[in-house]
Amino acid sequence: MTAVHPVGTAHGIGFPRTRLRRLRATPALRELVAQTHVTGRGLVQPLFVREGITEPQPIRSMPGVVQHTRDTVRKAAADAAAAGVGGVMLFGVPQRRDAVGSGATDPDGIAQGALRDVVAEVGADIVVLSDLNLDEYTDHGHSGLLNTQGEVDNDRSIEQYMAVAVAQAETGAAVIAPSGMMDGQVGAIRDALDRAGHETVAVLGYSAKFASHFYGPFRDAVESALLGDRKTYQQDPRRRGESLREVQLDVAEGADMVMVKPAALYLDIVRQVADTVHVPVAAYQVSGEYAMLEAAARQGWVNRDLAVRESLHCIARAGAGVIISYWATEFAPKLA
Ligand code: PBG
């Protein structure tokens, strides 16, 4: 038996019959077979709004991103909608913090006030999402309440989350996104929303959220008071199997969508989750991913536009249908 080789023998020399370069030959061919397409509609722009400021404040480690005033956050949401972004996600930075994060439930606090404004501005056109956590509101900077030993108390934290979820839903926000990584948080929040008559408000679980150092610049953005780390509640970056359990539990508890966070260093998790569950999968391209690429671009070491595009395409290729990105508003028109 002679082996069949995938080569022709023109001129007596072996030539490949299979030429993968054929479909790479022109922009039109590459576009036709690209498989992955990212548009602004699948992007979510995070927005920071800080209490008690009259001018937007730059964030040291996130060049190009600002803490908004109550006025400018409204404008930023309108700009996102005009750019073709699919949603905006709000983060409040309060002036005062306490042990239980009471600012988070205040109907007139910074987050709820800004959410109401943003819903009025763009709520009919794009999705208004609200991050649900206590870390911006607690004086110790943890995502939950502490017990007498100083440990984060899962179940008491959840009770507080339930109140925050209802306060956020009252503003008209369409999606509540709990990011605290307490066990059972999604089910409890679902129940609280339903009991308060907010059964149509959706829940996006930050299901597979890792204890990552790539949230560093975000801590500047919200002026987090955290000392120590979140390793007792966020996932260990070295453990993969746990993510599926987190995701499946969240889906069972009623999560309408799930998230993997961070994105780029965790694409194996994004792919595994996307292959396993049948709810929309989001990935959060976090502050450290933004900062690294911006820093390299500022040095002239990478081409900013092309590198940002590539990063978004790769996150989508891994299976994320929704990408939360600090570049959303700027890149939505460029991706069109
Ligand atoms: C919690 C929250 C964090 C981020 C999003 N939601 C911080 C944390 O869990 O430590 C990080 C986002 C980013 O780094 O861009 N409020």
Side-chain angles (χ1 to χ4, degrees):
M1 276 262 291
T2 41
V4 178
H5 295 293
V7 292
T9 51
H11 319 296
I13 310 164
F15 289 106
R17 288 191 182 123
T18 303
R19 293 181 185 272
L20 297 179
R21 290 183 53 191
R22 281 185 204 115
L23 296 186
R24 299 174 191 149
T26 66
L29 274 165
R30 292 195 295 272
E31 203 55 41
L32 184 72
V33 300
Q35 293 186 314
T36 304
H37 299 276
V38 179
T39 68
R41 286 284 163 230
L43 300 181
V44 172
Q45 175 70 49
L47 295 172
F48 300 107
V49 55
R50 180 172 156 194
E51 190 173 31
I53 55 169
T54 51
E55 291 295 324
Q57 301 294 312
I59 298 160
R60 183 182 65 86
S61 50
M62 300 181 76
V65 180
V66 300
Q67 295 174 323
H68 284 286
T69 71
R70 278 288 294 276
D71 281 339
T72 66
V73 77
R74 225 180 145 121
K75 163 103 177 24
D79 290 347
V85 165
V88 290
M89 183 183 253
L90 258 68
F91 294 89
V93 186
Q95 244 168 348
R96 270 176 302 281
R97 298 162 197 235
D98 61 25
V100 298
S102 40
T105 54
D106 182 350
D108 300 313
I110 183 65
Q112 272 73 256
L115 275 170
R116 270 196 304 274
D117 290 348
V118 166
V119 168
E121 188 77 32
V122 298
D125 304 320
I126 63 171
V127 181
V128 178
L129 302 92
S130 180
D131 182 77
L132 191 167
N133 204 303
L134 295 176
D135 61 325
E136 295 97 357
Y137 299 91
T138 51
D139 51 15
H140 45 71
H142 275 291
S143 298
L145 310 189
L146 305 184
N147 64 19
T148 48
Q149 283 86 55
E151 298 152 348
V152 176
D153 183 327
N154 193 85
D155 299 7
R156 278 182 61 228
S157 302
I158 283 184
E159 278 175 34
Q160 183 73 340
Y161 290 176
M162 292 164 83
V164 180
V166 173
Q168 293 183 344
E170 306 273 309
T171 69
V175 180
I176 308 288
S179 60
M181 290 296 282
M182 295 301 126
D183 288 322
Q185 64 183 13
V186 167
I189 287 168
R190 184 69 270 158
D191 287 350
L193 290 172
D194 291 351
R195 278 204 296 270
H198 296 296
E199 63 281 346
T200 61
V201 172
V203 174
L204 162 60
Y206 278 72
S207 307
K209 175 172 177 179
F210 287 84
S212 172
H213 290 289
F214 291 88
Y215 309 151
F218 177 94
R219 306 266 157 88
D220 287 338
V222 300
E223 297 170 37
S224 168
L226 181 71
L227 293 174
D229 59 53
R230 303 193 203 285
K231 289 181 184 164
T232 68
Y233 40 105
Q234 299 180 345
Q235 271 192 256
D236 187 325
R238 298 169 298 183
R239 278 192 72 188
R240 187 160 71 102
E242 215 176 35
S243 292
L244 276 190
R245 297 191 70 197
E246 288 283 3
V247 163
Q248 282 165 334
L249 278 168
D250 278 5
V251 171
E253 289 174 29
D256 302 285
M257 298 182 267
V258 296
M259 193 199 293
V260 175
K261 176 179 173 217
L265 290 172
Y266 293 79
L267 295 184
D268 56 326
I269 310 289
V270 175
R271 171 46 60 197
Q272 191 182 23
V273 168
D275 283 344
T276 307
V277 296
H278 300 289
V279 297
V281 175
Y284 198 137
Q285 185 174 50
V286 299
S287 56
E289 298 176 62
Y290 176 88
M292 284 194 301
L293 205 151
E294 285 290 337
R298 263 148 227 262
Q299 299 280 339
W301 293 344
V302 292
N303 178 313
R304 181 177 180 276
D305 263 41
L306 298 179
V308 170
R309 253 170 224 267
E310 180 178 334
S311 72
L312 295 169
H313 284 148
C314 291
I315 294 165
R317 188 202 61 225
V322 177
I323 304 174
I324 297 153
S325 171
Y326 297 99
W327 288 298
T329 300
E330 181 191 340
F331 276 76
K334 298 183 183 180
L335 293 163

